[in-house]
Amino acid sequence: MKILAGYRKSEETKRKIIESAAELFAENGYINTTVKNICERSHVSVSRVNYHFHSKAELAEQICEMFLNNLYDAVKTLLENTKEYSLLSEVMRLRCFVHIFHFEDENPYAKFYQELIETGTIGDAFTVVARHMFMRAKGTFYVHQTEGLAANMDLYARTYAGAFTAIVRTDEGQDTQETWTDRKDMFARLFMQLLDIPHDVQDAILKRAKEYDSQLGMEMLSLTEVRMYWR
C-alpha cells in the first residue's frame, strides 16, 4: 500500500508540473519561461522537477506529445462513422497540426509550437509521435507488406520529424493560403510514401482530406487540448 501511495503522489506531482508548465508556456512562451518559474507555479522543488524531467525541453516535448495524441483522438472520433478513419484520420491529424502554424488564424497557442520549431525542441517530441504513427500503420492492412518499416522504424520516425520541421518553417514573404495548402499536402504525402501507399490511393486520400478541410473546424482550448467539430 505504501508503494502504491508513493506512486500516486509521484504521478500527482508530475501532473502538477506539466499543468504549471503548460500554463506558463501559454502565457509567456517557451523561450521566456524558466524552470524556476515552473517550480514557483507548481510549488514543486527544483530537485523534484528534475527527477521527473531532465530539462525544460523534455517538459515541452511531453506537452507536445499530449496535444498530438489528443488531436488524433479528436479527429478519429469525428471520422469513425465515415468508415475511412484508419488512414484518413492519420492524414487529417497531420494536416491539422500543420494548420496551427498558420498565423492568419491568430491562434494564441501557436507561438509555443513555433518556438519549439525555432529552438529545435519539437524534433524529439514529434519523433516519438511519428514512431507511434508508424507502429499503428504497421499492423494495418495497407502496409503489412512493408518490410522496411519494421526494420527501420526509428530512422523513419526521425526522418519524418525532420521533414515536419522543414515543411512548417515559414519563408518570409511566401506565407500564403496556397503555400500552407501545399505544405499540408506535402506532409501527408510523405507519410504515405514512407508507408509505400500506392500513388492512386494517396491521391484519393488527399482528395478526401481536402474535402474534410472545409467541413471540419478546430479550436485549441489549451496547449494540450483541442476541440474538433463539424462546421
Side-chain angles (χ1 to χ4, degrees), residues 9 64 95 99 109-110 113 125 177 180:
K9 184 176 181 180
C64 181
R95 294 175 70 86
H99 183 75
Y109 303 107
Y113 288 100
Q177 186 66 46
W180 282 100

Side-chain angles (χ1 to χ4, degrees), residues 50-66:
N50 290 336
Y51 172 79
H52 289 284
F53 301 97
H54 295 112
S55 64
K56 183 177 75 167
E58 188 174 318
L59 252 172
E61 291 162 18
Q62 178 74 57
I63 290 169
C64 181
E65 288 174 37
M66 291 170 65

Side-chain angles (χ1 to χ4, degrees), residues 3-196:
I3 294 176
L4 181 59
Y7 173 77
R8 287 176 176 170
K9 184 176 181 180
S10 179
E11 287 300 298
E12 175 66 17
T13 299
K14 184 176 181 179
R15 182 187 63 79
K16 285 172 57 179
I17 295 169
I18 293 172
E19 289 178 352
S20 297
E23 291 172 0
L24 288 165
F25 289 152
E27 293 169 10
N28 306 319
Y30 172 73
I31 294 173
N32 291 330
T33 297
T34 67
V35 173
K36 181 180 178 181
N37 297 149
I38 296 168
C39 292
E40 292 172 349
R41 177 69 64 93
S42 63
H43 302 291
V44 176
S45 68
V46 174
S47 62
R48 294 305 296 172
V49 171
N50 290 336
Y51 172 79
H52 289 284
F53 301 97
H54 295 112
S55 64
K56 183 177 75 167
E58 188 174 318
L59 252 172
E61 291 162 18
Q62 178 74 57
I63 290 169
C64 181
E65 288 174 37
M66 291 170 65
F67 170 72
L68 285 164
N69 288 329
N70 288 338
L71 178 57
Y72 174 78
D73 290 339
V75 170
K76 183 177 179 180
T77 297
L78 279 187
L79 298 186
E80 273 184 333
N81 293 330
T82 69
K83 308 301 181 185
E84 301 171 294
Y85 64 85
S86 58
L87 179 56
L88 182 60
S89 63
E90 297 282 9
V91 170
M92 286 304 302
R93 180 174 74 149
L94 297 173
R95 294 175 70 86
C96 289
F97 192 45
V98 173
H99 183 75
I100 74 170
F101 292 89
H102 191 175
F103 286 123
E104 283 185 6
D105 290 341
E106 298 182 352
N107 182 343
Y109 303 107
K111 179 182 178 182
F112 166 74
Y113 288 100
Q114 186 64 42
E115 287 184 333
L116 296 193
I117 290 287
E118 293 170 0
T119 59
T121 306
I122 207 166
D124 288 338
F126 200 78
T127 297
V128 173
V129 173
R131 189 181 297 113
H132 292 164
M133 291 166 56
F134 288 125
M135 284 295 292
R136 280 196 301 268
K138 187 169 74 72
T140 61
F141 71 94
Y142 50 84
V143 292
H144 71 276
Q145 76 283 7
T146 306
E147 296 179 0
L149 180 61
N152 301 289
M153 186 73 70
D154 287 346
L155 176 60
Y156 278 34
R158 288 195 298 271
T159 299
Y160 196 57
F164 167 75
T165 302
I167 287 172
V168 300
R169 195 182 293 275
T170 58
D171 297 319
E172 188 175 355
Q174 298 181 15
D175 190 12
T176 65
Q177 186 66 46
E178 293 74 16
T179 300
W180 282 100
T181 298
D182 290 343
R183 286 172 178 159
K184 288 191 281 187
D185 289 349
M186 289 168 58
F187 195 39
R189 194 176 286 280
L190 175 60
F191 173 68
M192 292 188 284
Q193 286 175 343
L194 288 171
L195 297 176
D196 284 344

